[in-house]
Amino acid sequence: GAGVSQSPSNKVTEKGKDVELRCDPISGHTALYWYRQRLGQGLEFLIYFQGNSAPDKSGLPSDRFSAERTGESVSTLTIQRTQQEDSAVYLCASSVQISPLHFGNGTRLTVT
Amino acid sequence: AQKVTQAQTEISVVEKEDVTLDCVYETRDTTYYLFWYKQPPSGELVFLIRRNSFDEQNEISGRYSWNFQKSTSSFNFTITASQVVDSAVYFCAAMIKAAGNKLTFGGGTRVLVKP
């Protein structure tokens, strides 16, 4: 596809369940980013991949959050034992080095 | 660590007025990149501009212009003759090379253009 694709677009889950969010970056983009945006708030950095390695995991809010990337392509963000405060839009972006980040449309996560 | 501050949380103007959005960044590094993104009500993030730290030339693109001043660590954005379609949240962001290309965003400024 032409852009960054994220799935699902919406996810409603019960508190305590695990969720997986997927990101397909633009082909050839070596860098991949995950951000969280709570309602009416700015973008909170979560993690950044260069290739398949994550040189910066400093933004992951707790050990319930993890992410991986395989084949320098698809990335999965996993949230275990979801809490209501995890409700937000999770945005993925990809880029080539310092070029502008291209963002997906996000996954809106609602924890009930 | 880098930090980006957008002091204005919300600005409301009437159509055709000019509006300037402030952005102040903090870094001790000499090589960095500054960005502006637009997030309309539909939610997608739209890239507007990137500047590197070695290029202080101001830039104009249609009704948009940017004023980069290293002396005050500011990268302000002006919309001239605003239109209703300019209503959105605008984010300033910084990428510090030494920090491994992590893009740090400011808190955003919501612009509401009334007809």
Side-chain angles (χ1 to χ4, degrees), chain A residues 2-104:
Chain A
V4 177
S5 178
Q6 292 188 246
S7 61
S9 54
N10 279 285
K11 176 72 177 178
V12 180
T13 190
E14 292 180 353
K15 178 181 173 182
K17 301 277 189 179
D18 298 351
V19 294
E20 281 190 357
L21 312 180
R22 177 186 169 105
C23 173
D24 283 272
I26 293 172
S27 178
H29 280 196
T30 54
L32 186 148
Y33 301 76
W34 284 99
Y35 287 85
R36 177 168 72 178
Q37 188 175 29
R38 291 196 168 105
L39 186 64
Q41 304 293 312
L43 278 77
E44 178 187 2
F45 171 80
L46 297 179
I47 188 170
Y48 151 69
F49 288 92
Q50 181 61 44
N52 291 335
S53 63
D56 193 340
K57 304 179 182 179
S58 62
L60 293 177
S62 75
D63 59 8
R64 296 187 296 106
F65 287 72
S66 63
E68 64 175 18
R69 188 181 186 195
T70 56
E72 296 195 357
S73 180
V74 172
S75 177
T76 302
L77 177 68
T78 301
I79 309 173
Q80 296 178 310
R81 304 181 302 282
T82 52
Q83 304 293 314
Q84 288 186 333
E85 64 262 28
D86 299 333
S87 296
V89 175
Y90 289 81
L91 291 160
C92 177
S94 69
S95 74
V96 178
Q97 294 188 344
I98 61 165
S99 68
L101 272 61
H102 296 263
F103 282 85

Side-chain angles (χ1 to χ4, degrees), chain A residues 33 35 37 42-43 45 48 56 58 91 98-101 103 105, chain B residues 33 35 37 39 44-45 47 50 91 95 100-103 105 107:
Chain A
Y33 301 76
Y35 287 85
Q37 188 175 29
L43 278 77
F45 171 80
Y48 151 69
D56 193 340
S58 62
L91 291 160
I98 61 165
S99 68
L101 272 61
F103 282 85
N105 289 330
Chain B
Y33 307 89
F35 300 79
Y37 282 84
Q39 188 175 42
E44 77 273 22
L45 276 152
F47 164 75
R50 183 191 76 182
F91 291 98
M95 180 183 285
N101 297 336
K102 169 182 164 182
L103 188 63
F105 283 83

